[in-house]
Amino acid sequence: MTQPASTPTVEELEEQERRLVFRRFTHEDAWALGSLLVETARERQAPVAIDIHRAGQQLFHAALPGSAPDNDAWIARKRRVVERYGAASYLVGARHRAKGTTFEESSRLDPDTYAAHGGSFPITVEGAGVIGAVTVSGLPQLEDHRMVVEALERFLDAGTV
């Protein structure tokens, strides 16, 4: 599914989360999803770092050419938003913007610890809820978000999970 060129609405972002749900999520699934993201990033020569966490454990990490240690710091900050709010980091930021404020102003959370910028998406399992996050950092925030969503769509459409 091709993403629209415009900025998605809160409703469109929420629909992505309702749709992109796993039946299960194993270590092997993390490897396959992470590998798909690496393949996508290489095809686009995207200078990103990729991370998949489940229940506090890092199951996958890759740093592609052009990425930097700062990308890992962004990954951690965006992932913490998913873990705290149970929603995509971009969606959390969009909800604040829709209310005429910013995440930084209204959350009162340390911006060195939390970043409601695009690129981290919840790993949601039917019957279990949010169990982890898949995160990309290195592109503008909407592009990070779209890369993750596209990979999740391709992975789930393949019907393996």
Side-chain angles (χ1 to χ4, degrees), residues 16-34 37 50-60 78-79 81-83 85-89 119-136 148 151-152 155-156 161:
Q16 289 174 346
E17 290 192 2
R18 284 190 295 274
R19 188 170 40 85
L20 299 173
V21 176
F22 292 82
R23 288 193 313 270
R24 62 171 168 69
F25 193 80
T26 66
H27 286 76
E28 291 78 17
D29 296 325
W31 179 261
L33 177 58
L37 276 161
I50 300 160
D51 178 88
I52 300 176
H53 263 71
R54 183 186 71 183
Q57 181 182 20
Q58 184 178 53
L59 301 183
F60 185 93
K78 293 190 278 190
R79 186 187 71 247
V81 168
V82 172
E83 292 168 348
Y85 291 90
S89 55
S120 193
F121 200 93
I123 297 169
T124 304
V125 173
E126 292 175 8
V130 176
I131 61 149
V134 54
T135 311
V136 168
V148 172
L152 287 168
F155 190 78
L156 289 166
V161 293

Side-chain angles (χ1 to χ4, degrees), residues 92-136:
V92 172
R95 285 176 173 156
H96 284 87
R97 289 187 295 276
K99 293 177 185 174
T101 184
T102 66
F103 174 79
E104 294 76 15
E105 289 171 353
S106 56
S107 73
R108 303 184 74 194
L109 295 170
D110 182 355
D112 289 336
T113 304
Y114 295 91
H117 292 256
S120 193
F121 200 93
I123 297 169
T124 304
V125 173
E126 292 175 8
V130 176
I131 61 149
V134 54
T135 311
V136 168

